[in-house]
Amino acid sequence: MNAFEPPAAENPAAENPAAENPVAQKRYEGKAKILYATDDPEVLLTYFKDDATAFNAQKRGTISGKGEVNCAMSQHLFRLLEAQGVPTHLIDCPTSNTMRVRRVSIVPLEVVVRNIAAGSLCQQTGLELGTPLSPPLVEFYLKNDALGDPLLTEDRLRVMGLATPDQVQQLREMALRVNQVLSEFFNQCGITLVDFKLEFGVDGTGKLLLADEISPDTCRLWNQAESDPNRRVMDKDRFRRDLGDVEAAYQQVLQRVLAQSV
Ligand code: ADP
Ligand code: MG
């Protein structure tokens, strides 16, 4: 029934698994990734696309090489986090743009941690871009494109039955731990971790795992060697704001990340 086989490991330039395996069972196609079933019901194969979207998919484009950057960077950072005691969904990467992950039931929240004010926080509060946030700000957004991913309060989380106060506390603690580990790591790369979005899921045993991806699509990253507010941007804001050199920025982030051992 499930004749799907992951692309051969010796083919690093493997294309979309569906192209090679017409019988590959696509489970879900999102804006940036496609999830495929595997022979093991507890394991999914994630294919990272070059497709880029912004502003709730109103802006669409392609960032050449993004799939490989996001896959390799996520793998490196998930390994780092695992080593620091944060459980993640990562199993391994059979090719340069595919990742095998533990299947989880995704908590429909985007957990955002902010160290410096940028983006929607500035637009919605009037805080000036670059304002340091200490201690870091942890925010919960509903993962629902149709509703525009609205910001939630803890009371709304409770009313909607999305998370109990205990679960909110657990998500907050894990997000802050991730922030500690990643902030220090990026600092060693000469990069400031401004803010980032995490997704969590619950596995078959009820354990909360860090899922999805950690990449220049999901983090704001500023080059510490640049003071100019546009030149310093190394993340998806280059695409959102048409700053140019998007591909080069993604490659530069990956190079610096891979240069730091876990
Ligand atoms: P979206 O357009 O919803 O952001 P993506 O293109 O990022 O989607 O595709 C990834 C989808 O897979 C997301 O909906 C994400 O929540 C989900 N996902 C990520 N990791 C896992 C996992 N380990 N198990 C199940 N679903 C996952
Ligand atoms: Mg996504």
Side-chain angles (χ1 to χ4, degrees), residues 147-213:
L147 295 177
D149 296 341
L151 176 65
L152 299 178
T153 62
E154 289 199 20
D155 281 355
R156 284 186 181 185
L157 284 166
R158 182 177 44 75
V159 165
M160 296 170 73
L162 289 173
T164 63
D166 275 0
Q167 289 167 330
V168 171
Q169 188 56 26
Q170 204 188 341
L171 290 170
R172 183 187 295 281
E173 279 171 14
M174 273 176 84
L176 285 171
R177 176 71 187 133
V178 171
N179 185 46
Q180 257 181 1
V181 173
L182 292 188
S183 292
E184 191 184 325
F185 179 84
F186 277 114
N187 204 33
Q188 285 162 5
C189 301
I191 293 172
T192 299
L193 179 60
V194 175
D195 59 36
F196 57 94
K197 180 267 297 184
L198 299 175
E199 292 185 29
F200 293 90
V202 181
D203 72 7
T205 70
K207 190 175 175 191
L208 194 61
L209 302 182
L210 180 60
D212 207 50
E213 65 177 277

Coordinates of all heavy atoms in Angstrom, one line a residue, residues 147-213:
L147 N -7.7 33.5 9.9 CA -8.0 34.6 10.9 C -6.8 35.6 11.0 O -6.8 36.5 11.8 CB -8.2 33.9 12.3 CG -9.5 33.1 12.4 CD1 -9.6 32.4 13.8 CD2 -10.8 33.9 12.1
G148 N -5.8 35.4 10.2 CA -4.6 36.3 10.2 C -3.7 36.1 11.4 O -3.1 37.0 11.8
D149 N -3.6 34.8 11.9 CA -2.7 34.5 13.0 C -2.8 35.5 14.1 O -1.8 36.2 14.5 CB -1.3 34.4 12.5 CG -1.1 33.3 11.5 OD1 -1.9 32.3 11.5 OD2 0.0 33.3 10.8
P150 N -4.0 35.7 14.8 CA -4.1 36.8 15.8 C -3.3 36.5 17.0 O -3.1 35.4 17.4 CB -5.6 36.8 16.1 CG -6.1 35.4 15.8 CD -5.3 35.0 14.6
L151 N -2.9 37.6 17.7 CA -2.2 37.5 19.0 C -3.2 37.1 20.0 O -4.4 37.6 20.1 CB -1.7 38.9 19.3 CG -1.0 39.1 20.7 CD1 0.2 38.3 20.9 CD2 -0.7 40.6 20.9
L152 N -2.9 36.1 20.9 CA -3.8 35.7 21.9 C -3.3 36.1 23.3 O -2.1 36.3 23.5 CB -3.8 34.1 21.9 CG -4.3 33.5 20.6 CD1 -4.3 32.0 20.7 CD2 -5.8 33.9 20.3
T153 N -4.3 36.2 24.2 CA -4.0 36.5 25.6 C -4.0 35.1 26.3 O -4.6 34.1 25.8 CB -5.0 37.4 26.3 OG1 -6.3 36.7 26.2 CG2 -5.0 38.7 25.6
E154 N -3.5 35.0 27.5 CA -3.5 33.7 28.2 C -5.0 33.3 28.5 O -5.3 32.2 28.5 CB -2.7 33.8 29.5 CG -1.2 33.8 29.2 CD -0.3 33.4 30.4 OE1 -0.8 32.7 31.3 OE2 0.8 33.8 30.3
D155 N -5.8 34.3 28.8 CA -7.3 34.0 29.0 C -7.9 33.5 27.7 O -8.7 32.6 27.8 CB -8.0 35.3 29.5 CG -7.8 35.5 31.0 OD1 -7.1 34.7 31.6 OD2 -8.2 36.6 31.5
R156 N -7.6 34.1 26.6 CA -8.1 33.5 25.3 C -7.6 32.1 25.1 O -8.4 31.3 24.6 CB -7.7 34.4 24.1 CG -8.4 35.7 24.1 CD -8.1 36.5 22.8 NE -8.8 37.7 22.7 CZ -8.8 38.5 21.6 NH1 -8.0 38.2 20.6 NH2 -9.4 39.7 21.6
L157 N -6.4 31.8 25.4 CA -5.8 30.5 25.2 C -6.7 29.5 26.1 O -7.0 28.4 25.6 CB -4.4 30.4 25.7 CG -3.3 31.0 24.8 CD1 -2.0 31.1 25.6 CD2 -3.1 30.0 23.6
R158 N -7.0 29.9 27.3 CA -7.8 29.1 28.2 C -9.2 28.9 27.7 O -9.7 27.8 27.5 CB -7.8 29.7 29.6 CG -8.5 28.9 30.6 CD -8.4 29.6 32.0 NE -8.6 31.0 32.0 CZ -9.8 31.6 31.9 NH1 -10.9 30.9 31.8 NH2 -9.9 32.9 31.8
V159 N -9.9 30.0 27.3 CA -11.3 30.0 26.8 C -11.4 29.1 25.6 O -12.3 28.4 25.4 CB -11.7 31.4 26.5 CG1 -13.0 31.4 25.7 CG2 -11.9 32.2 27.8
M160 N -10.4 29.2 24.7 CA -10.4 28.4 23.4 C -10.0 27.0 23.6 O -10.1 26.2 22.7 CB -9.5 29.1 22.4 CG -9.9 30.5 22.0 SD -8.6 31.3 21.0 CE -8.8 30.4 19.5
G161 N -9.6 26.6 24.9 CA -9.2 25.3 25.2 C -7.9 24.9 24.5 O -7.7 23.7 24.2
L162 N -7.1 25.9 24.1 CA -5.9 25.6 23.4 C -4.8 25.1 24.3 O -3.9 24.3 24.0 CB -5.4 26.8 22.6 CG -6.3 27.1 21.4 CD1 -5.8 28.4 20.8 CD2 -6.2 26.0 20.4
A163 N -4.8 25.6 25.5 CA -3.7 25.3 26.5 C -4.2 25.6 27.9 O -4.8 26.7 28.1 CB -2.4 26.0 26.2
T164 N -3.9 24.8 28.8 CA -4.2 25.1 30.3 C -3.1 26.0 30.8 O -2.0 26.1 30.1 CB -4.2 23.8 31.1 OG1 -2.8 23.2 31.0 CG2 -5.2 22.7 30.6
P165 N -3.3 26.7 31.9 CA -2.3 27.5 32.4 C -0.9 26.7 32.6 O 0.1 27.3 32.4 CB -2.8 28.0 33.8 CG -4.3 28.0 33.6 CD -4.6 26.8 32.7
D166 N -1.0 25.5 33.0 CA 0.2 24.6 33.2 C 0.9 24.5 31.8 O 2.1 24.5 31.8 CB -0.2 23.3 33.7 CG -0.2 23.3 35.2 OD1 0.0 24.4 35.8 OD2 -0.5 22.2 35.8
Q167 N 0.1 24.2 30.8 CA 0.7 24.0 29.4 C 1.3 25.3 28.9 O 2.4 25.3 28.3 CB -0.3 23.4 28.5 CG -0.7 22.0 28.8 CD -1.9 21.5 28.0 OE1 -2.8 22.3 27.7 NE2 -2.0 20.3 27.7
V168 N 0.6 26.4 29.2 CA 1.2 27.7 28.8 C 2.5 27.9 29.4 O 3.5 28.3 28.8 CB 0.2 28.9 29.2 CG1 0.9 30.2 28.9 CG2 -1.1 28.8 28.3
Q169 N 2.6 27.6 30.7 CA 3.8 27.7 31.5 C 4.9 26.8 30.9 O 6.1 27.3 30.7 CB 3.6 27.3 33.0 CG 4.7 27.6 33.9 CD 5.1 29.1 33.9 OE1 4.3 30.0 33.6 NE2 6.4 29.3 34.2
Q170 N 4.6 25.6 30.5 CA 5.5 24.7 29.9 C 6.1 25.2 28.6 O 7.3 25.2 28.3 CB 4.9 23.3 29.7 CG 5.9 22.2 29.7 CD 5.2 20.8 29.3 OE1 4.0 20.7 29.4 NE2 6.0 19.9 28.9
L171 N 5.1 25.7 27.7 CA 5.5 26.3 26.4 C 6.4 27.5 26.6 O 7.5 27.6 25.9 CB 4.3 26.7 25.6 CG 3.4 25.6 25.1 CD1 2.1 26.1 24.5 CD2 4.2 24.8 24.0
R172 N 6.1 28.3 27.6 CA 6.9 29.5 27.9 C 8.3 29.1 28.3 O 9.3 29.7 27.8 CB 6.2 30.3 28.9 CG 6.8 31.7 29.3 CD 6.2 32.3 30.5 NE 4.8 32.7 30.2 CZ 4.4 33.8 29.5 NH1 5.4 34.6 29.1 NH2 3.2 34.1 29.3
E173 N 8.4 28.2 29.2 CA 9.7 27.8 29.7 C 10.6 27.2 28.6 O 11.7 27.5 28.5 CB 9.5 26.8 30.9 CG 9.2 27.5 32.2 CD 8.8 26.5 33.3 OE1 9.0 25.3 33.2 OE2 8.3 27.1 34.3
M174 N 9.9 26.3 27.8 CA 10.7 25.7 26.7 C 11.2 26.8 25.7 O 12.3 26.8 25.2 CB 9.9 24.6 26.0 CG 10.0 23.3 26.6 SD 8.9 22.0 25.9 CE 9.9 21.5 24.5
A175 N 10.3 27.7 25.4 CA 10.6 28.8 24.4 C 11.8 29.6 25.0 O 12.7 30.0 24.2 CB 9.4 29.6 24.1
L176 N 11.7 29.9 26.3 CA 12.8 30.7 26.8 C 14.1 30.0 26.9 O 15.2 30.6 26.7 CB 12.4 31.2 28.2 CG 11.3 32.4 28.2 CD1 10.8 32.6 29.6 CD2 11.9 33.6 27.6
R177 N 14.1 28.7 27.1 CA 15.3 27.9 27.1 C 15.9 27.8 25.7 O 17.1 28.0 25.5 CB 14.9 26.4 27.6 CG 16.0 25.5 27.5 CD 17.1 25.8 28.6 NE 18.3 24.9 28.4 CZ 19.5 25.4 28.4 NH1 19.8 26.7 28.7 NH2 20.5 24.6 28.3
V178 N 15.0 27.7 24.7 CA 15.4 27.7 23.3 C 16.1 29.0 23.0 O 17.2 29.1 22.4 CB 14.2 27.5 22.3 CG1 14.7 27.7 20.9 CG2 13.7 26.0 22.5
N179 N 15.5 30.1 23.5 CA 16.0 31.5 23.3 C 17.4 31.6 23.9 O 18.3 32.1 23.2 CB 15.1 32.5 23.9 CG 15.6 33.9 23.6 OD1 15.9 34.2 22.4 ND2 15.6 34.8 24.6
Q180 N 17.6 31.1 25.1 CA 18.9 31.1 25.7 C 20.0 30.4 24.9 O 21.1 31.0 24.6 CB 18.9 30.3 27.1 CG 18.8 31.2 28.3 CD 18.7 30.2 29.5 OE1 18.8 29.0 29.4 NE2 18.6 30.8 30.7
V181 N 19.7 29.2 24.5 CA 20.6 28.4 23.7 C 20.9 29.1 22.4 O 22.1 29.2 22.0 CB 20.1 27.0 23.5 CG1 21.0 26.2 22.6 CG2 19.9 26.3 24.8
L182 N 19.9 29.5 21.7 CA 20.1 30.0 20.3 C 20.7 31.4 20.3 O 21.5 31.7 19.5 CB 18.7 30.1 19.5 CG 18.1 28.8 19.2 CD1 16.9 29.0 18.3 CD2 19.0 27.8 18.5
S183 N 20.3 32.2 21.3 CA 20.9 33.6 21.4 C 22.4 33.5 21.5 O 23.2 34.2 20.9 CB 20.4 34.4 22.6 OG 19.0 34.7 22.3
E184 N 22.9 32.6 22.4 CA 24.3 32.4 22.7 C 25.0 31.9 21.4 O 26.1 32.3 21.0 CB 24.5 31.5 23.9 CG 25.9 31.4 24.4 CD 26.1 30.4 25.5 OE1 25.1 30.2 26.2 OE2 27.2 29.8 25.5
F185 N 24.3 30.9 20.8 CA 24.9 30.3 19.6 C 25.1 31.3 18.4 O 26.1 31.5 17.8 CB 24.0 29.1 19.1 CG 24.5 28.5 17.8 CD1 25.5 27.5 17.9 CD2 24.0 28.8 16.6 CE1 26.0 26.9 16.8 CE2 24.5 28.2 15.4 CZ 25.5 27.3 15.5
F186 N 24.0 32.1 18.2 CA 24.0 33.1 17.1 C 25.1 34.2 17.4 O 25.7 34.7 16.5 CB 22.7 33.7 16.8 CG 21.8 32.8 15.9 CD1 20.7 32.2 16.4 CD2 22.2 32.6 14.6 CE1 19.9 31.4 15.6 CE2 21.4 31.7 13.8 CZ 20.3 31.2 14.2
N187 N 25.2 34.5 18.7 CA 26.2 35.5 19.1 C 27.6 35.0 18.7 O 28.4 35.8 18.2 CB 26.1 35.7 20.6 CG 26.6 37.1 21.0 OD1 26.5 38.0 20.3 ND2 27.2 37.1 22.2
Q188 N 27.8 33.7 18.8 CA 29.1 33.2 18.4 C 29.3 33.3 16.9 O 30.4 33.2 16.4 CB 29.3 31.7 18.9 CG 29.5 31.7 20.4 CD 29.3 30.3 21.0 OE1 29.0 29.3 20.2 NE2 29.4 30.1 22.3
C189 N 28.2 33.3 16.2 CA 28.2 33.4 14.7 C 28.3 34.9 14.3 O 28.3 35.2 13.1 CB 26.9 32.9 14.1 SG 26.6 31.1 14.5
G190 N 28.4 35.8 15.2 CA 28.4 37.3 14.9 C 27.0 37.7 14.4 O 26.9 38.7 13.6
I191 N 26.0 37.1 14.9 CA 24.6 37.4 14.5 C 23.8 37.6 15.8 O 23.9 36.9 16.7 CB 24.0 36.2 13.7 CG1 24.7 36.0 12.3 CG2 22.5 36.4 13.5 CD1 24.3 34.8 11.6
T192 N 22.9 38.7 15.7 CA 22.0 38.9 16.8 C 20.7 38.3 16.5 O 20.1 38.5 15.5 CB 21.8 40.4 17.0 OG1 23.1 41.0 17.3 CG2 20.9 40.7 18.2
L193 N 20.2 37.5 17.5 CA 18.9 36.8 17.4 C 17.9 37.8 17.9 O 17.7 38.0 19.1 CB 18.8 35.5 18.2 CG 17.5 34.8 18.1 CD1 17.1 34.4 16.7 CD2 17.6 33.5 19.0
V194 N 17.2 38.5 17.0 CA 16.2 39.5 17.3 C 14.9 38.9 17.8 O 14.4 39.3 18.9 CB 16.0 40.4 16.1 CG1 14.9 41.5 16.4 CG2 17.2 41.1 15.6
D195 N 14.4 38.0 17.1 CA 13.1 37.3 17.5 C 13.0 36.1 16.6 O 13.7 35.9 15.7 CB 11.9 38.2 17.4 CG 11.6 38.7 15.9 OD1 11.9 38.0 15.0 OD2 11.2 39.9 15.8
F196 N 12.1 35.2 17.0 CA 11.8 34.0 16.3 C 10.5 33.3 16.7 O 9.9 33.7 17.7 CB 13.0 32.9 16.5 CG 13.2 32.5 17.9 CD1 12.6 31.4 18.5 CD2 14.0 33.3 18.8 CE1 12.8 31.0 19.8 CE2 14.2 32.9 20.1 CZ 13.6 31.8 20.6
K197 N 10.0 32.4 15.8 CA 8.7 31.8 16.0 C 9.0 30.3 16.1 O 9.8 29.7 15.4 CB 7.9 32.0 14.7 CG 6.5 31.4 14.8 CD 6.4 30.0 14.1 CE 6.7 30.0 12.6 NZ 6.4 28.6 12.1
L198 N 8.4 29.6 17.1 CA 8.5 28.2 17.3 C 7.1 27.5 17.2 O 6.1 28.2 17.4 CB 9.0 27.9 18.7 CG 10.4 28.4 19.0 CD1 10.7 28.1 20.5 CD2 11.5 27.8 18.1
E199 N 7.1 26.3 16.8 CA 5.9 25.4 16.8 C 6.2 24.2 17.6 O 7.3 23.6 17.5 CB 5.4 25.0 15.4 CG 4.9 26.2 14.6 CD 4.3 25.8 13.3 OE1 3.8 24.7 13.1 OE2 4.4 26.7 12.4
F200 N 5.3 23.8 18.5 CA 5.4 22.6 19.3 C 4.4 21.6 18.9 O 3.3 21.9 18.4 CB 5.3 23.0 20.8 CG 6.4 23.8 21.3 CD1 6.3 25.2 21.2 CD2 7.6 23.3 21.8 CE1 7.4 26.0 21.7 CE2 8.6 24.1 22.3 CZ 8.5 25.5 22.2
G201 N 4.6 20.3 19.3 CA 3.6 19.3 19.0 C 3.8 18.2 20.1 O 4.8 18.1 20.8
V202 N 2.7 17.4 20.2 CA 2.7 16.3 21.2 C 2.8 15.0 20.4 O 2.1 14.8 19.5 CB 1.3 16.4 22.0 CG1 1.3 15.3 23.0 CG2 1.1 17.8 22.6
D203 N 3.8 14.1 20.9 CA 3.9 12.9 20.2 C 3.0 11.8 20.8 O 2.2 12.1 21.7 CB 5.4 12.4 20.3 CG 5.8 11.9 21.7 OD1 5.0 11.8 22.6 OD2 7.0 11.7 21.8
G204 N 3.1 10.6 20.3 CA 2.2 9.5 20.6 C 2.2 9.2 22.1 O 1.2 8.7 22.7
T205 N 3.3 9.5 22.8 CA 3.4 9.3 24.2 C 3.0 10.5 25.1 O 3.1 10.4 26.3 CB 4.8 8.9 24.6 OG1 5.6 10.0 24.5 CG2 5.4 7.8 23.7
G206 N 2.5 11.5 24.4 CA 2.1 12.7 25.2 C 3.2 13.7 25.5 O 3.0 14.7 26.2
K207 N 4.4 13.4 24.9 CA 5.5 14.3 25.2 C 5.5 15.5 24.3 O 5.2 15.4 23.1 CB 6.8 13.5 25.0 CG 8.1 14.2 25.4 CD 9.2 13.2 25.3 CE 10.5 13.9 25.6 NZ 11.7 13.2 25.2
L208 N 5.8 16.7 24.8 CA 5.9 17.9 24.1 C 7.2 18.0 23.4 O 8.3 18.0 24.0 CB 5.6 19.1 25.0 CG 5.3 20.5 24.4 CD1 4.0 20.4 23.6 CD2 5.2 21.5 25.6
L209 N 7.2 18.2 22.1 CA 8.4 18.3 21.3 C 8.5 19.6 20.5 O 7.4 20.1 20.0 CB 8.5 17.1 20.2 CG 8.5 15.7 20.7 CD1 8.6 14.8 19.4 CD2 9.6 15.4 21.7
L210 N 9.7 20.1 20.4 CA 9.8 21.3 19.5 C 9.8 20.7 18.0 O 10.4 19.7 17.7 CB 11.2 21.9 19.7 CG 11.5 23.1 18.8 CD1 10.5 24.2 19.0 CD2 12.9 23.6 19.2
A211 N 8.9 21.3 17.2 CA 8.7 20.8 15.8 C 9.0 21.9 14.8 O 9.7 22.9 15.0 CB 7.3 20.3 15.7
D212 N 8.5 21.6 13.6 CA 8.6 22.5 12.4 C 10.0 22.9 12.0 O 10.8 21.9 11.7 CB 7.8 23.8 12.7 CG 7.3 24.4 11.4 OD1 6.7 23.7 10.6 OD2 7.5 25.6 11.2
E213 N 10.4 24.1 12.0 CA 11.8 24.5 11.5 C 12.3 25.7 12.3 O 11.5 26.4 12.9 CB 11.7 24.8 10.0 CG 10.9 26.1 9.7 CD 10.8 26.5 8.3 OE1 11.8 27.2 7.8 OE2 9.9 26.1 7.6

